[in-house]
Tab-separated table of all heavy atoms in Angstrom:
chain	number	residue	atom	x	y	z
L	232	ILE	N	-7.276	10.444	-47.569
L	232	ILE	CA	-6.142	9.418	-47.598
L	232	ILE	C	-6.836	8.088	-47.572
L	232	ILE	O	-7.617	7.791	-46.678
L	232	ILE	CB	-5.125	9.585	-46.542
L	232	ILE	CG1	-4.611	11.013	-46.485
L	232	ILE	CG2	-3.990	8.584	-46.657
L	232	ILE	CD1	-3.650	11.293	-45.368
L	233	GLU	N	-6.476	7.184	-48.473
L	233	GLU	CA	-7.019	5.870	-48.541
L	233	GLU	C	-6.008	4.720	-48.649
L	233	GLU	O	-4.920	4.911	-49.185
L	233	GLU	CB	-8.073	5.709	-49.691
L	233	GLU	CG	-7.340	5.840	-51.052
L	233	GLU	CD	-8.355	5.656	-52.258
L	233	GLU	OE1	-9.526	5.710	-52.002
L	233	GLU	OE2	-7.874	5.625	-53.366
L	234	SER	N	-6.365	3.557	-48.052
L	234	SER	CA	-5.553	2.373	-48.235
L	234	SER	C	-6.120	1.490	-49.281
L	234	SER	O	-7.331	1.550	-49.577
L	234	SER	CB	-5.383	1.671	-46.869
L	234	SER	OG	-6.615	1.121	-46.462
L	235	SER	N	-5.344	0.510	-49.807
L	235	SER	CA	-5.905	-0.274	-50.916
L	235	SER	C	-5.144	-1.614	-50.916
L	235	SER	O	-4.203	-1.837	-50.335
L	235	SER	CB	-5.688	0.446	-52.302
L	235	SER	OG	-4.291	0.472	-52.639
L	236	THR	N	-5.821	-2.534	-51.738
L	236	THR	CA	-5.224	-3.886	-51.868
L	236	THR	C	-4.060	-3.889	-52.786
L	236	THR	O	-3.367	-4.918	-52.940
L	236	THR	CB	-6.351	-4.770	-52.406
L	236	THR	OG1	-6.914	-4.261	-53.651
L	236	THR	CG2	-7.420	-5.072	-51.427
L	237	SER	N	-3.756	-2.802	-53.417
L	237	SER	CA	-2.551	-2.713	-54.335
L	237	SER	C	-1.249	-2.497	-53.526
L	237	SER	O	-0.211	-2.435	-54.075
L	237	SER	CB	-2.683	-1.649	-55.413
L	237	SER	OG	-2.741	-0.402	-54.773
L	238	GLY	N	-1.394	-2.213	-52.206
L	238	GLY	CA	-0.239	-1.897	-51.374
L	238	GLY	C	0.129	-0.412	-51.436
L	238	GLY	O	1.248	-0.094	-51.148
L	239	GLU	N	-0.788	0.392	-52.007
L	239	GLU	CA	-0.461	1.820	-52.164
L	239	GLU	C	-1.359	2.723	-51.205
L	239	GLU	O	-2.478	2.355	-50.889
L	239	GLU	CB	-0.771	2.328	-53.592
L	239	GLU	CG	0.109	1.627	-54.668
L	239	GLU	CD	-0.299	1.991	-56.054
L	239	GLU	OE1	-1.404	2.367	-56.252
L	239	GLU	OE2	0.639	1.903	-56.969
L	240	ILE	N	-0.767	3.775	-50.823
L	240	ILE	CA	-1.633	4.834	-50.128
L	240	ILE	C	-1.815	6.002	-51.103
L	240	ILE	O	-0.879	6.511	-51.714
L	240	ILE	CB	-0.811	5.415	-48.876
L	240	ILE	CG1	-0.660	4.297	-47.805
L	240	ILE	CG2	-1.491	6.639	-48.295
L	240	ILE	CD1	-1.943	3.770	-47.251
L	241	LYS	N	-3.082	6.328	-51.305
L	241	LYS	CA	-3.387	7.451	-52.289
L	241	LYS	C	-3.898	8.640	-51.507
L	241	LYS	O	-4.793	8.504	-50.596
L	241	LYS	CB	-4.327	6.925	-53.297
L	241	LYS	CG	-3.817	5.763	-54.157
L	241	LYS	CD	-4.798	5.218	-55.046
L	241	LYS	CE	-4.194	4.068	-55.877
L	241	LYS	NZ	-5.212	3.398	-56.788
L	242	ILE	N	-3.385	9.830	-51.849
L	242	ILE	CA	-3.831	11.056	-51.175
L	242	ILE	C	-4.515	11.916	-52.255
L	242	ILE	O	-3.929	12.246	-53.232
L	242	ILE	CB	-2.642	11.767	-50.522
L	242	ILE	CG1	-1.929	10.799	-49.570
L	242	ILE	CG2	-3.098	13.055	-49.832
L	242	ILE	CD1	-0.714	11.422	-48.941
L	243	TRP	N	-5.780	12.382	-51.917
L	243	TRP	CA	-6.575	13.096	-52.897
L	243	TRP	C	-6.890	14.416	-52.301
L	243	TRP	O	-7.054	14.591	-51.095
L	243	TRP	CB	-7.890	12.405	-53.137
L	243	TRP	CG	-7.748	11.023	-53.622
L	243	TRP	CD1	-7.572	9.870	-52.913
L	243	TRP	CD2	-7.848	10.519	-55.049
L	243	TRP	NE1	-7.523	8.659	-53.718
L	243	TRP	CE2	-7.641	9.129	-55.020
L	243	TRP	CE3	-8.040	11.222	-56.245
L	243	TRP	CZ2	-7.752	8.402	-56.197
L	243	TRP	CZ3	-8.094	10.498	-57.359
L	243	TRP	CH2	-7.922	9.086	-57.399
L	244	ASN	N	-7.121	15.441	-53.207
L	244	ASN	CA	-7.685	16.702	-52.784
L	244	ASN	C	-9.195	16.350	-52.640
L	244	ASN	O	-9.854	16.008	-53.560
L	244	ASN	CB	-7.492	17.723	-53.842
L	244	ASN	CG	-8.184	19.100	-53.487
L	244	ASN	OD1	-9.323	19.140	-53.132
L	244	ASN	ND2	-7.339	20.206	-53.528
L	245	PHE	N	-9.732	16.537	-51.440
L	245	PHE	CA	-11.049	16.083	-51.164
L	245	PHE	C	-12.140	16.808	-52.009
L	245	PHE	O	-13.067	16.118	-52.503
L	245	PHE	CB	-11.436	16.307	-49.654
L	245	PHE	CG	-12.810	15.947	-49.340
L	245	PHE	CD1	-13.231	14.604	-49.249
L	245	PHE	CD2	-13.785	16.881	-49.048
L	245	PHE	CE1	-14.481	14.273	-48.995
L	245	PHE	CE2	-15.058	16.535	-48.696
L	245	PHE	CZ	-15.435	15.213	-48.643
L	246	HIS	N	-11.934	18.081	-52.188
L	246	HIS	CA	-12.995	18.927	-52.865
L	246	HIS	C	-12.890	18.871	-54.418
L	246	HIS	O	-13.853	19.229	-55.075
L	246	HIS	CB	-13.016	20.311	-52.350
L	246	HIS	CG	-13.593	20.432	-50.928
L	246	HIS	ND1	-14.805	20.002	-50.608
L	246	HIS	CD2	-12.984	20.933	-49.858
L	246	HIS	CE1	-14.983	20.214	-49.378
L	246	HIS	NE2	-13.999	20.803	-48.828
L	247	THR	N	-11.726	18.566	-54.975
L	247	THR	CA	-11.619	18.511	-56.394
L	247	THR	C	-11.470	17.073	-56.877
L	247	THR	O	-11.556	16.914	-58.110
L	247	THR	CB	-10.360	19.308	-56.862
L	247	THR	OG1	-9.186	18.644	-56.353
L	247	THR	CG2	-10.395	20.679	-56.349
L	248	ALA	N	-11.255	16.143	-56.050
L	248	ALA	CA	-10.994	14.738	-56.390
L	248	ALA	C	-9.752	14.599	-57.256
L	248	ALA	O	-9.616	13.610	-58.033
L	248	ALA	CB	-12.208	14.108	-57.151
L	249	LYS	N	-8.839	15.547	-57.153
L	249	LYS	CA	-7.527	15.438	-57.884
L	249	LYS	C	-6.551	14.610	-57.045
L	249	LYS	O	-6.341	14.800	-55.844
L	249	LYS	CB	-6.923	16.844	-58.172
L	249	LYS	CG	-5.650	16.788	-58.860
L	249	LYS	CD	-5.049	18.184	-59.084
L	249	LYS	CE	-3.753	18.188	-59.752
L	249	LYS	NZ	-3.215	19.574	-59.987
L	250	LEU	N	-5.937	13.622	-57.688
L	250	LEU	CA	-4.911	12.836	-57.006
L	250	LEU	C	-3.656	13.575	-56.750
L	250	LEU	O	-3.011	14.105	-57.640
L	250	LEU	CB	-4.581	11.630	-57.887
L	250	LEU	CG	-3.590	10.518	-57.269
L	250	LEU	CD1	-4.147	9.960	-55.980
L	250	LEU	CD2	-3.323	9.512	-58.324
L	251	ILE	N	-3.267	13.763	-55.498
L	251	ILE	CA	-2.099	14.554	-55.111
L	251	ILE	C	-0.814	13.689	-55.150
L	251	ILE	O	0.144	14.095	-55.761
L	251	ILE	CB	-2.289	15.065	-53.635
L	251	ILE	CG1	-3.495	16.042	-53.658
L	251	ILE	CG2	-1.015	15.865	-53.170
L	251	ILE	CD1	-3.847	16.474	-52.229
L	252	LYS	N	-0.851	12.506	-54.590
L	252	LYS	CA	0.305	11.686	-54.640
L	252	LYS	C	-0.097	10.235	-54.389
L	252	LYS	O	-1.092	9.975	-53.768
L	252	LYS	CB	1.395	12.085	-53.655
L	252	LYS	CG	0.987	11.861	-52.228
L	252	LYS	CD	2.285	12.000	-51.286
L	252	LYS	CE	2.858	13.395	-51.303
L	252	LYS	NZ	3.948	13.472	-50.290
L	253	ILE	N	0.753	9.255	-54.802
L	253	ILE	CA	0.608	7.830	-54.504
L	253	ILE	C	1.886	7.422	-53.769
L	253	ILE	O	3.083	7.714	-54.314
L	253	ILE	CB	0.459	7.020	-55.728
L	253	ILE	CG1	-0.886	7.368	-56.498
L	253	ILE	CG2	0.490	5.553	-55.406
L	253	ILE	CD1	-1.059	6.616	-57.753
L	254	ILE	N	1.758	6.824	-52.642
L	254	ILE	CA	2.858	6.304	-51.893
L	254	ILE	C	2.808	4.775	-51.957
L	254	ILE	O	2.003	4.063	-51.440
L	254	ILE	CB	2.926	6.790	-50.426
L	254	ILE	CG1	2.913	8.270	-50.309
L	254	ILE	CG2	4.155	6.196	-49.654
L	254	ILE	CD1	2.695	8.795	-48.882
L	255	LYS	N	3.830	4.178	-52.705
L	255	LYS	CA	3.926	2.766	-52.840
L	255	LYS	C	4.556	2.206	-51.550
L	255	LYS	O	5.719	2.458	-51.240
L	255	LYS	CB	4.751	2.369	-54.055
L	255	LYS	CG	4.845	0.860	-54.223
L	255	LYS	CD	3.516	0.191	-54.510
L	255	LYS	CE	3.596	-1.376	-54.761
L	255	LYS	NZ	2.304	-1.937	-54.940
L	256	VAL	N	3.777	1.413	-50.845
L	256	VAL	CA	4.231	0.928	-49.504
L	256	VAL	C	4.850	-0.450	-49.691
L	256	VAL	O	6.013	-0.629	-49.263
L	256	VAL	CB	3.045	0.906	-48.508
L	256	VAL	CG1	3.519	0.373	-47.193
L	256	VAL	CG2	2.403	2.273	-48.338
L	257	LYS	N	4.091	-1.390	-50.207
L	257	LYS	CA	4.653	-2.759	-50.415
L	257	LYS	C	3.648	-3.480	-51.249
L	257	LYS	O	2.502	-3.066	-51.516
L	257	LYS	CB	4.929	-3.478	-49.137
L	257	LYS	CG	3.783	-3.500	-48.145
L	257	LYS	CD	4.074	-4.362	-46.956
L	257	LYS	CE	5.387	-3.913	-46.267
L	257	LYS	NZ	5.819	-4.827	-45.130
L	258	ASP	N	4.006	-4.664	-51.667
L	258	ASP	CA	3.155	-5.566	-52.478
L	258	ASP	C	2.305	-6.448	-51.655
L	258	ASP	O	2.245	-7.598	-51.667
L	258	ASP	CB	3.941	-6.392	-53.485
L	258	ASP	CG	4.673	-5.577	-54.520
L	258	ASP	OD1	4.110	-4.558	-54.911
L	258	ASP	OD2	5.788	-5.953	-54.869
L	259	ASN	N	1.493	-5.809	-50.798
L	259	ASN	CA	0.561	-6.445	-49.926
L	259	ASN	C	-0.652	-5.602	-49.620
L	259	ASN	O	-0.648	-4.426	-49.776
L	259	ASN	CB	1.175	-6.813	-48.570
L	259	ASN	CG	1.893	-8.113	-48.574
L	259	ASN	OD1	1.227	-9.161	-48.644
L	259	ASN	ND2	3.152	-8.101	-48.391
L	260	TRP	N	-1.743	-6.286	-49.336
L	260	TRP	CA	-2.942	-5.485	-49.049
L	260	TRP	C	-2.753	-4.703	-47.775
L	260	TRP	O	-2.290	-5.126	-46.790
L	260	TRP	CB	-4.143	-6.437	-48.792
L	260	TRP	CG	-4.599	-7.241	-50.007
L	260	TRP	CD1	-3.973	-7.333	-51.208
L	260	TRP	CD2	-5.805	-7.986	-50.193
L	260	TRP	NE1	-4.704	-8.059	-52.159
L	260	TRP	CE2	-5.836	-8.482	-51.466
L	260	TRP	CE3	-6.873	-8.239	-49.319
L	260	TRP	CZ2	-6.847	-9.237	-51.917
L	260	TRP	CZ3	-7.961	-8.994	-49.823
L	260	TRP	CH2	-7.924	-9.517	-51.086
L	261	LEU	N	-3.346	-3.464	-47.836
L	261	LEU	CA	-3.353	-2.544	-46.687
L	261	LEU	C	-4.692	-2.385	-46.177
L	261	LEU	O	-5.641	-2.277	-46.912
L	261	LEU	CB	-2.707	-1.179	-47.141
L	261	LEU	CG	-1.310	-1.236	-47.725
L	261	LEU	CD1	-0.882	0.177	-48.184
L	261	LEU	CD2	-0.287	-1.845	-46.784
L	262	PHE	N	-4.857	-2.290	-44.826
L	262	PHE	CA	-6.093	-2.300	-44.208
L	262	PHE	C	-6.295	-0.919	-43.475
L	262	PHE	O	-6.246	0.182	-43.959
L	262	PHE	CB	-6.346	-3.445	-43.342
L	262	PHE	CG	-6.240	-4.782	-44.069
L	262	PHE	CD1	-5.297	-5.781	-43.863
L	262	PHE	CD2	-7.278	-5.095	-45.056
L	262	PHE	CE1	-5.293	-6.959	-44.522
L	262	PHE	CE2	-7.262	-6.353	-45.759
L	262	PHE	CZ	-6.228	-7.179	-45.441
L	263	GLY	N	-6.607	-1.055	-42.137
L	263	GLY	CA	-6.934	0.061	-41.311
L	263	GLY	C	-5.861	1.138	-41.224
L	263	GLY	O	-4.700	0.913	-41.289
L	264	THR	N	-6.318	2.377	-41.125
L	264	THR	CA	-5.352	3.527	-41.074
L	264	THR	C	-5.812	4.457	-39.902
L	264	THR	O	-6.867	4.432	-39.419
L	264	THR	CB	-5.455	4.377	-42.316
L	264	THR	OG1	-6.818	4.827	-42.563
L	264	THR	CG2	-5.051	3.585	-43.607
L	265	CYS	N	-4.799	5.172	-39.471
L	265	CYS	CA	-5.007	6.352	-38.537
L	265	CYS	C	-3.862	7.337	-38.639
L	265	CYS	O	-2.742	6.974	-39.041
L	265	CYS	CB	-5.204	5.833	-37.118
L	265	CYS	SG	-3.645	5.323	-36.269
L	266	LEU	N	-4.154	8.589	-38.420
L	266	LEU	CA	-3.185	9.596	-38.378
L	266	LEU	C	-2.459	9.686	-37.006
L	266	LEU	O	-3.193	9.507	-35.943
L	266	LEU	CB	-3.815	10.912	-38.675
L	266	LEU	CG	-4.203	11.185	-40.196
L	266	LEU	CD1	-4.951	12.449	-40.359
L	266	LEU	CD2	-2.937	11.204	-41.051
L	267	TRP	N	-1.183	9.939	-37.009
L	267	TRP	CA	-0.477	10.097	-35.753
L	267	TRP	C	0.071	11.499	-35.758
L	267	TRP	O	1.101	11.797	-36.482
L	267	TRP	CB	0.675	9.061	-35.673
L	267	TRP	CG	1.406	9.078	-34.378
L	267	TRP	CD1	2.285	9.924	-33.898
L	267	TRP	CD2	1.179	8.082	-33.295
L	267	TRP	NE1	2.762	9.600	-32.607
L	267	TRP	CE2	2.070	8.460	-32.218
L	267	TRP	CE3	0.408	6.961	-33.126
L	267	TRP	CZ2	2.157	7.729	-31.040
L	267	TRP	CZ3	0.520	6.275	-31.929
L	267	TRP	CH2	1.380	6.696	-30.934
L	268	ASN	N	-0.527	12.384	-34.959
L	268	ASN	CA	-0.153	13.780	-34.817
L	268	ASN	C	-0.019	14.547	-36.198
L	268	ASN	O	0.806	15.385	-36.367
L	268	ASN	CB	1.231	13.906	-34.106
L	268	ASN	CG	1.132	13.287	-32.767
L	268	ASN	OD1	0.123	13.094	-32.244
L	268	ASN	ND2	2.242	13.112	-32.104
L	269	LYS	N	-0.871	14.118	-37.146
L	269	LYS	CA	-0.904	14.810	-38.418
L	269	LYS	C	0.303	14.729	-39.296
L	269	LYS	O	0.378	15.271	-40.359
L	269	LYS	CB	-1.343	16.289	-38.268
L	269	LYS	CG	-2.722	16.458	-37.582
L	269	LYS	CD	-3.912	15.989	-38.408
L	269	LYS	CE	-5.154	16.410	-37.795
L	269	LYS	NZ	-6.381	15.993	-38.578
L	270	LYS	N	1.310	13.971	-38.782
L	270	LYS	CA	2.562	13.911	-39.481
L	270	LYS	C	2.745	12.520	-40.114
L	270	LYS	O	3.284	12.367	-41.180
L	270	LYS	CB	3.719	14.192	-38.538
L	270	LYS	CG	5.138	14.026	-39.174
L	270	LYS	CD	6.230	14.396	-38.210
L	270	LYS	CE	7.624	14.034	-38.703
L	270	LYS	NZ	7.957	14.715	-40.010
Side-chain angles (χ1 to χ4, degrees):
I232 305 175
E233 64 179 9
S234 65
S235 70
T236 54
S237 65
E239 296 177 338
I240 296 296
K241 296 174 184 177
I242 303 177
W243 304 82
N244 181 308
F245 178 73
H246 288 305
T247 66
K249 180 181 178 181
L250 183 61
I251 298 172
K252 70 165 67 173
I253 297 176
I254 303 174
K255 180 63 178 180
V256 180
K257 53 173 57 186
D258 294 323
N259 270 295
W260 290 14
L261 303 178
F262 297 116
T264 58
C265 74
L266 286 171
W267 187 282
N268 298 349
K269 301 290 185 177
K270 176 177 172 60

